[in-house]
Amino acid sequence: MRLSRYFLPVLKETPAEAQIVSHRFMLRAGMIKQASAGIYSWLPLGFKVLRKIENIVHEEQLRAGHLPMLMPTLQSADLWRESGRYDDYGQEMLRMKDRHDRDMLFTPTAEELITDIFRGHVSSYRDLPLTMYQIQWKFRDEIRPRFGVMRGREFLMKDGYNFDLTKEDALHAYNRHLVSYLRTYERMGLQAIPMRADSGPIGGDDTHEFLVLAETGESEVFYDSEITELKFGDRDIDYTSKEQCHAVLEEFTSRYARTDETHDEALFNQVPEARRRVARGIEVGQIFYFGTKYSEAMGATVQGPDGKAVPVHMGSHGIGVSRLVGAIIEASHDERGIIWPEGVTPFHVGIVNLKTGDAEADAACETLYAALTAKGLEPLYDDTDERAGGKFATMDLIGLPWRITVGPRGLKNGVVELTCRRTGESEEMSPEAAIDRVAQIFAPHMVRGL
Ligand code: ATP
Ligand code: MG
């Protein structure tokens, strides 16, 4: 992309309404624009990041064997009356009437609708196990939307639902989700710690939240510092193996890690004092096993091997896709701007032309741009006639992890400069070497477009 052709409405001033760093940088980098309280338009740069996050989520759900689908945002109240949640949900649910005076609502989550789909089509245990998921907009009329996309009213969520014959199978689905989530967050450059949590209005026995440690997080968390040393790494997990998935759950949840809702001071005190941590965290996902709560209320049964009808065991599993954009910035920035992890950066590399209009510099930038593009990379080429300082400030603000700087002086010696946004270190090299280096860096991070 050429910056002269792009829509990047960067702000010089810090917007007064933004209280936390991610919100400030998202507004200043022209990623989002508030449409009304807690509701945002995603401008091209922000949308690109959102899409990369979505694509990683899809890739990891597909790898786990889960089926993508899409349900509507507007739902009939009738199903929610069946489960009893139409009344339970309270004011967070946005309710409306259609022209025939029928009660409708904007989906805050989708257990009812997926259960209705299931009961309409599945009647035998032979069709199980089944896990389907979607990435769809949700609406919760939060009393205090704040922090930009972190606590919006409209937000993008991945929500997945498993249907299993037995509790044991459903717990395997739970563990499979835990493994796939660990891998998902790691690909986004995040450490998200699974913590024992409270089930809230969804209900259920087993639930873990995934928290990214950050001072601006809304949840208070208590954990054994050993947990932050665990790395998921590039493990070859067979998602169909109950043992392998369970082993990962054991490894990542056996140390003390809880949110304030489930915190137990006596248990926490059993952790050696030097390892006890009290901090704040951002919830970026949650997994639930809730047994037969919805299947019993809504008659989602299958015929078991003995011919008897039994309610299916279910769970639901969510990732805060739009919240993740903010969470990643909270975890990765400096005073000048965002520092995107390689896996989610909107463009892979920025090209800064120090002297737009200089024939040689222009030609070298064009060649770099074409060569990077030909390798499947996405460069953002600043071809504007802004002064060099301004170009650097914009690149730093929008957070591209790598930058190639091209100027007449370097070109006389046959070199350009490759700069790492995170460390600030620069290295001179030939344009060809810079291209190869960038291609090599991103080889493990190429997110497939859908
Ligand atoms: P919270 O406790 O933050 O209100 P929740 O536990 O009610 O969230 P879930 O039902 O678990 O939310 O939804 C799955 C994920 O969706 C959450 O882990 C979170 O990342 C994201 N999420 C929930 N509410 C919002 C919101 N208002 N804005 C942005 N993301 C949200
Ligand atoms: Mg939650």
Side-chain angles (χ1 to χ4, degrees), residues 103-146:
D103 290 320
M104 306 289 290
L105 55 95
F106 196 118
T107 178
T109 171
E111 281 81 5
E112 283 76 359
L113 194 54
I114 193 98
T115 306
D116 184 53
I117 292 168
F118 180 89
R119 70 180 172 186
H121 294 286
V122 181
S123 53
S124 162
Y125 75 97
R126 287 193 192 83
D127 296 324
L128 305 182
L130 178 65
T131 297
M132 295 191 276
Y133 76 94
Q134 64 171 350
I135 298 180
Q136 176 63 294
W137 293 94
K138 304 293 184 302
F139 196 95
R140 293 183 188 172
D141 206 351
E142 301 273 355
I143 188 157
R144 217 149 65 92
R146 58 185 184 151

Coordinates of all heavy atoms in Angstrom, one line a residue, residues 103-146:
D103 N -41.2 -9.7 19.8 CA -40.0 -9.3 20.6 C -38.7 -9.9 19.9 O -38.6 -11.1 19.6 CB -40.1 -9.8 22.0 CG -41.1 -9.1 22.8 OD1 -41.2 -7.9 22.6 OD2 -41.9 -9.7 23.5
M104 N -37.8 -9.0 19.7 CA -36.5 -9.4 19.1 C -35.4 -8.9 20.0 O -35.6 -8.1 20.9 CB -36.3 -8.8 17.7 CG -37.4 -9.0 16.7 SD -37.5 -10.7 16.1 CE -36.0 -10.8 15.1
L105 N -34.2 -9.4 19.8 CA -33.0 -8.9 20.5 C -31.8 -9.0 19.7 O -31.7 -9.8 18.7 CB -32.9 -9.7 21.8 CG -32.8 -11.2 21.7 CD1 -31.3 -11.7 21.7 CD2 -33.5 -11.9 22.8
F106 N -30.8 -8.2 20.1 CA -29.5 -8.3 19.4 C -28.6 -9.2 20.3 O -28.5 -9.1 21.5 CB -28.8 -6.9 19.4 CG -27.7 -6.8 18.4 CD1 -27.7 -5.9 17.3 CD2 -26.5 -7.6 18.6 CE1 -26.7 -5.8 16.4 CE2 -25.5 -7.5 17.7 CZ -25.5 -6.6 16.6
T107 N -28.1 -10.3 19.6 CA -27.5 -11.4 20.4 C -26.3 -10.9 21.3 O -25.3 -10.3 20.8 CB -27.0 -12.5 19.4 OG1 -26.4 -13.5 20.1 CG2 -26.0 -11.9 18.3
P108 N -26.4 -11.2 22.6 CA -25.2 -11.0 23.4 C -24.3 -12.3 23.5 O -23.2 -12.2 23.9 CB -25.9 -10.8 24.8 CG -27.2 -11.5 24.8 CD -27.6 -11.6 23.3
T109 N -24.8 -13.4 23.0 CA -24.2 -14.7 23.0 C -25.2 -15.6 22.3 O -26.3 -15.2 22.0 CB -23.8 -15.2 24.4 OG1 -23.3 -16.5 24.3 CG2 -24.9 -15.1 25.4
A110 N -24.8 -16.9 22.0 CA -25.8 -17.6 21.1 C -26.1 -19.0 21.5 O -26.4 -19.9 20.7 CB -25.2 -17.6 19.7
E111 N -26.0 -19.3 22.8 CA -26.3 -20.7 23.3 C -27.7 -21.2 22.8 O -27.9 -22.3 22.4 CB -26.2 -20.8 24.8 CG -24.8 -20.9 25.4 CD -24.1 -19.6 25.5 OE1 -24.8 -18.5 25.2 OE2 -22.9 -19.5 25.8
E112 N -28.7 -20.3 22.9 CA -30.0 -20.7 22.6 C -30.2 -21.1 21.1 O -30.8 -22.1 20.8 CB -31.0 -19.6 22.9 CG -31.3 -19.5 24.4 CD -30.2 -18.8 25.3 OE1 -29.2 -18.5 24.7 OE2 -30.4 -18.7 26.5
L113 N -29.6 -20.2 20.3 CA -29.8 -20.4 18.8 C -29.1 -21.6 18.4 O -29.6 -22.4 17.6 CB -29.4 -19.2 18.1 CG -29.8 -19.1 16.6 CD1 -31.3 -19.3 16.5 CD2 -29.3 -17.8 16.0
I114 N -27.9 -21.9 18.9 CA -27.1 -23.0 18.4 C -27.8 -24.3 18.9 O -27.9 -25.3 18.2 CB -25.7 -23.0 18.8 CG1 -24.8 -24.0 18.1 CG2 -25.5 -23.2 20.3 CD1 -24.1 -23.6 16.9
T115 N -28.4 -24.2 20.1 CA -29.1 -25.4 20.7 C -30.3 -25.7 19.9 O -30.7 -26.9 19.6 CB -29.5 -25.2 22.2 OG1 -28.3 -24.8 22.9 CG2 -30.0 -26.4 22.8
D116 N -31.0 -24.7 19.4 CA -32.2 -24.8 18.5 C -31.8 -25.5 17.2 O -32.4 -26.4 16.7 CB -32.8 -23.5 18.3 CG -34.1 -23.7 17.5 OD1 -34.9 -24.5 17.9 OD2 -34.2 -23.0 16.4
I117 N -30.6 -25.1 16.6 CA -30.2 -25.7 15.4 C -29.8 -27.2 15.6 O -30.2 -28.0 14.9 CB -28.9 -24.9 14.9 CG1 -29.3 -23.5 14.5 CG2 -28.2 -25.7 13.8 CD1 -28.1 -22.6 14.2
F118 N -29.2 -27.4 16.8 CA -28.8 -28.8 17.1 C -30.0 -29.7 17.2 O -30.1 -30.7 16.6 CB -28.0 -28.8 18.4 CG -27.5 -30.2 18.8 CD1 -26.3 -30.7 18.3 CD2 -28.3 -30.9 19.6 CE1 -25.9 -31.9 18.7 CE2 -27.9 -32.2 20.0 CZ -26.7 -32.7 19.5
R119 N -31.0 -29.2 18.0 CA -32.1 -30.1 18.3 C -33.0 -30.4 17.0 O -33.7 -31.4 16.9 CB -33.0 -29.6 19.4 CG -33.8 -28.3 19.1 CD -34.6 -27.9 20.2 NE -35.2 -26.6 19.9 CZ -35.8 -25.8 20.7 NH1 -36.1 -26.2 22.0 NH2 -36.3 -24.6 20.3
G120 N -32.9 -29.4 16.1 CA -33.6 -29.6 14.8 C -33.0 -30.6 13.9 O -33.7 -31.0 12.9
H121 N -31.7 -30.9 14.1 CA -31.0 -31.7 13.0 C -30.3 -32.9 13.5 O -30.0 -33.8 12.7 CB -30.0 -30.8 12.3 CG -30.7 -29.7 11.5 ND1 -31.4 -30.0 10.3 CD2 -30.8 -28.4 11.7 CE1 -31.9 -28.9 9.8 NE2 -31.5 -27.9 10.6
V122 N -30.0 -32.9 14.8 CA -29.2 -34.1 15.3 C -30.1 -34.9 16.3 O -30.6 -34.4 17.2 CB -28.0 -33.5 16.1 CG1 -27.1 -34.7 16.5 CG2 -27.1 -32.6 15.1
S123 N -30.1 -36.2 16.0 CA -30.9 -37.0 16.9 C -30.2 -38.3 17.4 O -30.7 -39.0 18.2 CB -32.2 -37.4 16.2 OG -31.9 -38.0 14.9
S124 N -29.0 -38.5 16.8 CA -28.3 -39.8 17.2 C -26.9 -39.5 17.8 O -26.2 -38.5 17.3 CB -28.2 -40.7 16.0 OG -27.2 -41.6 16.3
Y125 N -26.5 -40.3 18.7 CA -25.1 -40.1 19.3 C -24.1 -40.3 18.2 O -22.9 -39.8 18.4 CB -24.9 -41.1 20.4 CG -24.7 -42.5 20.0 CD1 -23.4 -43.0 19.9 CD2 -25.8 -43.4 19.6 CE1 -23.2 -44.3 19.4 CE2 -25.6 -44.6 19.2 CZ -24.3 -45.1 19.1 OH -24.1 -46.4 18.6
R126 N -24.4 -40.9 17.1 CA -23.5 -41.2 16.1 C -23.0 -39.9 15.4 O -21.9 -39.8 14.8 CB -24.1 -42.1 15.0 CG -24.2 -43.5 15.4 CD -24.5 -44.4 14.2 NE -24.9 -45.7 14.7 CZ -26.1 -46.0 15.0 NH1 -27.1 -45.1 14.9 NH2 -26.4 -47.2 15.5
D127 N -23.8 -38.8 15.5 CA -23.4 -37.5 14.9 C -22.5 -36.7 15.9 O -22.1 -35.6 15.5 CB -24.7 -36.7 14.6 CG -25.5 -37.4 13.5 OD1 -24.8 -38.0 12.6 OD2 -26.7 -37.4 13.6
L128 N -22.2 -37.3 17.0 CA -21.4 -36.6 18.0 C -19.9 -37.2 18.0 O -19.8 -38.3 17.5 CB -21.9 -36.7 19.4 CG -23.4 -36.2 19.5 CD1 -23.9 -36.3 21.0 CD2 -23.5 -34.8 19.0
P129 N -18.9 -36.5 18.4 CA -18.9 -35.1 18.9 C -19.1 -34.1 17.8 O -18.8 -34.3 16.7 CB -17.6 -35.0 19.6 CG -16.7 -35.9 18.7 CD -17.6 -37.0 18.3
L130 N -19.6 -32.9 18.2 CA -19.8 -31.8 17.3 C -19.4 -30.5 17.9 O -19.9 -30.2 19.0 CB -21.3 -31.8 16.8 CG -21.7 -30.7 15.9 CD1 -21.0 -30.8 14.5 CD2 -23.2 -30.7 15.7
T131 N -18.6 -29.7 17.3 CA -18.3 -28.4 17.8 C -18.3 -27.4 16.6 O -17.7 -27.6 15.6 CB -16.8 -28.3 18.4 OG1 -16.8 -29.2 19.6 CG2 -16.5 -26.9 18.9
M132 N -19.2 -26.4 16.8 CA -19.3 -25.4 15.8 C -19.0 -24.0 16.4 O -19.2 -23.8 17.6 CB -20.7 -25.4 15.2 CG -21.0 -26.6 14.4 SD -22.5 -26.5 13.5 CE -23.7 -26.9 14.7
Y133 N -18.5 -23.1 15.6 CA -18.2 -21.8 16.1 C -18.4 -20.7 15.1 O -18.5 -21.0 13.9 CB -16.7 -21.7 16.6 CG -15.7 -21.6 15.5 CD1 -15.3 -20.3 15.0 CD2 -15.3 -22.7 14.8 CE1 -14.4 -20.2 14.0 CE2 -14.4 -22.6 13.7 CZ -14.0 -21.3 13.3 OH -13.1 -21.2 12.2
Q134 N -18.5 -19.5 15.5 CA -18.7 -18.4 14.6 C -17.8 -17.2 15.2 O -17.4 -17.2 16.3 CB -20.1 -17.9 14.6 CG -20.7 -17.4 15.9 CD -22.1 -16.8 15.8 OE1 -22.6 -16.5 14.7 NE2 -22.7 -16.5 16.9
I135 N -17.6 -16.2 14.3 CA -17.0 -15.0 14.7 C -18.0 -13.9 14.3 O -18.3 -13.7 13.1 CB -15.6 -14.7 14.0 CG1 -14.6 -15.7 14.5 CG2 -15.2 -13.3 14.4 CD1 -13.2 -15.6 13.9
Q136 N -18.7 -13.4 15.3 CA -19.9 -12.5 14.9 C -20.0 -11.4 15.9 O -19.5 -11.5 17.1 CB -21.2 -13.4 15.0 CG -22.5 -12.7 14.7 CD -22.6 -12.1 13.4 OE1 -21.9 -11.1 13.0 NE2 -23.5 -12.6 12.6
W137 N -20.6 -10.3 15.5 CA -20.8 -9.1 16.4 C -21.8 -9.5 17.4 O -22.8 -10.1 17.2 CB -21.2 -7.9 15.5 CG -20.1 -7.5 14.7 CD1 -19.9 -7.9 13.4 CD2 -19.0 -6.7 15.0 NE1 -18.7 -7.4 12.9 CE2 -18.1 -6.6 13.9 CE3 -18.6 -6.0 16.2 CZ2 -16.9 -5.9 13.9 CZ3 -17.4 -5.3 16.2 CH2 -16.6 -5.3 15.1
K138 N -21.5 -9.0 18.6 CA -22.4 -9.2 19.8 C -22.8 -7.8 20.3 O -22.0 -6.8 20.0 CB -21.7 -9.9 20.9 CG -21.1 -11.3 20.5 CD -22.2 -12.3 20.2 CE -21.7 -13.7 19.9 NZ -20.8 -13.8 18.8
F139 N -23.9 -7.7 21.0 CA -24.2 -6.4 21.6 C -24.6 -6.7 23.1 O -25.4 -7.6 23.4 CB -25.4 -5.8 20.9 CG -25.5 -4.3 21.3 CD1 -24.9 -3.3 20.5 CD2 -26.2 -3.9 22.5 CE1 -25.0 -2.0 20.8 CE2 -26.2 -2.6 22.8 CZ -25.6 -1.6 22.0
R140 N -23.9 -5.9 24.0 CA -24.3 -6.0 25.4 C -24.3 -4.5 25.8 O -23.4 -3.8 25.6 CB -23.3 -6.7 26.2 CG -23.2 -8.2 25.9 CD -22.3 -9.0 26.8 NE -22.2 -10.3 26.3 CZ -21.3 -11.2 26.7 NH1 -20.5 -10.9 27.7 NH2 -21.3 -12.5 26.3
D141 N -25.5 -4.1 26.3 CA -25.7 -2.7 26.6 C -25.0 -2.4 28.0 O -25.7 -2.1 29.0 CB -27.2 -2.4 26.7 CG -27.4 -0.9 26.4 OD1 -26.5 -0.2 26.3 OD2 -28.6 -0.6 26.2
E142 N -23.7 -2.5 27.9 CA -22.8 -2.2 29.1 C -23.2 -0.9 29.8 O -23.4 0.1 29.1 CB -21.4 -2.2 28.7 CG -20.8 -3.4 28.0 CD -20.4 -4.5 29.0 OE1 -20.3 -4.2 30.2 OE2 -20.0 -5.6 28.5
I143 N -23.3 -0.9 31.1 CA -23.7 0.3 31.8 C -22.6 1.4 31.6 O -22.9 2.5 31.5 CB -24.0 0.0 33.3 CG1 -24.6 1.2 34.0 CG2 -22.7 -0.5 34.0 CD1 -25.3 0.9 35.2
R144 N -21.3 0.9 31.6 CA -20.3 1.9 31.4 C -19.3 1.4 30.3 O -18.2 0.9 30.6 CB -19.5 2.0 32.8 CG -19.1 3.5 33.0 CD -19.1 3.8 34.5 NE -18.1 3.0 35.2 CZ -16.8 3.4 35.4 NH1 -16.4 4.6 35.0 NH2 -16.0 2.7 36.1
P145 N -19.7 1.6 29.1 CA -18.7 1.3 28.0 C -17.5 2.2 28.2 O -17.7 3.4 28.5 CB -19.5 1.6 26.7 CG -20.6 2.5 27.1 CD -20.9 2.3 28.5
R146 N -16.3 1.7 28.1 CA -15.1 2.5 28.3 C -13.9 1.8 27.7 O -13.9 0.7 27.3 CB -14.9 2.8 29.7 CG -14.8 1.6 30.6 CD -14.7 2.0 32.0 NE -14.4 0.8 32.8 CZ -13.8 0.8 34.0 NH1 -13.3 1.9 34.5 NH2 -13.6 -0.3 34.6

